[in-house]
Amino acid sequence: MQLTAKQEKFSLAYIETGNASAAYRKSYNADKMRPETINRNAKALLDNNKITTRLEELRAPVVEAAQITLEGHLRTLAELRDEAKKLGQMAAATTAEVARGKAAGLYVEKREITGKDGGPVELSTPKTDLSKLSDEEFEHLVELSEKARSFGSV
């Protein structure tokens, strides 16, 4: 797999910015191009199998490092748990073990938000006095309402 110098520069810029159009501008002479053209050309580069493969190569060390970080985190928490158990500090050992479970994704924290006295959350919409609208404002409001109905939103 051999990329051109510009394709390699695009790949590196894409990893840096996370934005294909910005990467295209950094890699190619796009000063006189319309934004739509830049966007289209950037998309075409992202669809190129050689560039996709290069992006995966560039991301691989980061993905690997993140996995090692998770493994190291879990290992450290296990060591803390074991040390706390040796010292007879069961609350600390339990806390470390729960933290390991959370880090591994075994526990999901859910929170329920309720309104007054545990009832449903009440949302209020401020009332608008339509009589204070000008004819032009009222017509505009009617147009917006009709558009919303046509989309099934109201």
Side-chain angles (χ1 to χ4, degrees), residues 115-135:
K116 186 176 181 183
D117 299 323
V121 175
E122 294 181 23
L123 302 175
S124 63
T125 304
K127 304 234 186 262
T128 303
D129 185 358
L130 299 179
S131 67
K132 294 183 179 180
L133 294 177
S134 68
D135 289 343

Side-chain angles (χ1 to χ4, degrees), residues 1-8 11 48 50-51 54:
M1 172 197 71
Q2 188 68 22
L3 295 179
T4 66
K6 287 184 178 184
Q7 288 173 328
E8 178 68 15
S11 299
N48 180 316
K50 289 180 182 179
I51 290 177
R54 180 62 178 139

Side-chain angles (χ1 to χ4, degrees), residues 36-96:
E36 304 84 38
T37 304
I38 293 169
N39 187 308
R40 206 171 27 255
N41 290 349
K43 172 74 170 97
L45 286 170
L46 285 180
D47 290 339
N48 180 316
N49 287 334
K50 289 180 182 179
I51 290 177
T52 302
T53 301
R54 180 62 178 139
L55 292 174
E56 288 170 5
E57 288 172 359
L58 292 168
R59 288 183 182 126
V62 175
V63 170
E64 188 177 323
Q67 293 301 319
I68 292 169
T69 300
L70 176 59
E71 289 173 17
H73 182 64
L74 293 173
R75 187 174 32 257
T76 300
L77 287 170
E79 290 168 2
L80 291 170
R81 176 206 56 206
D82 295 343
E83 189 63 31
K85 278 169 78 173
K86 284 180 192 173
L87 296 172
Q89 297 176 349
M90 296 312 291
T94 302
T95 300

Side-chain angles (χ1 to χ4, degrees), residues 19-41:
N19 182 302
S21 294
Y24 188 87
R25 284 185 198 94
K26 284 184 162 194
S27 309
Y28 292 85
N29 183 6
D31 295 339
K32 296 180 182 178
M33 291 184 182
R34 294 191 339 242
E36 304 84 38
T37 304
I38 293 169
N39 187 308
R40 206 171 27 255
N41 290 349

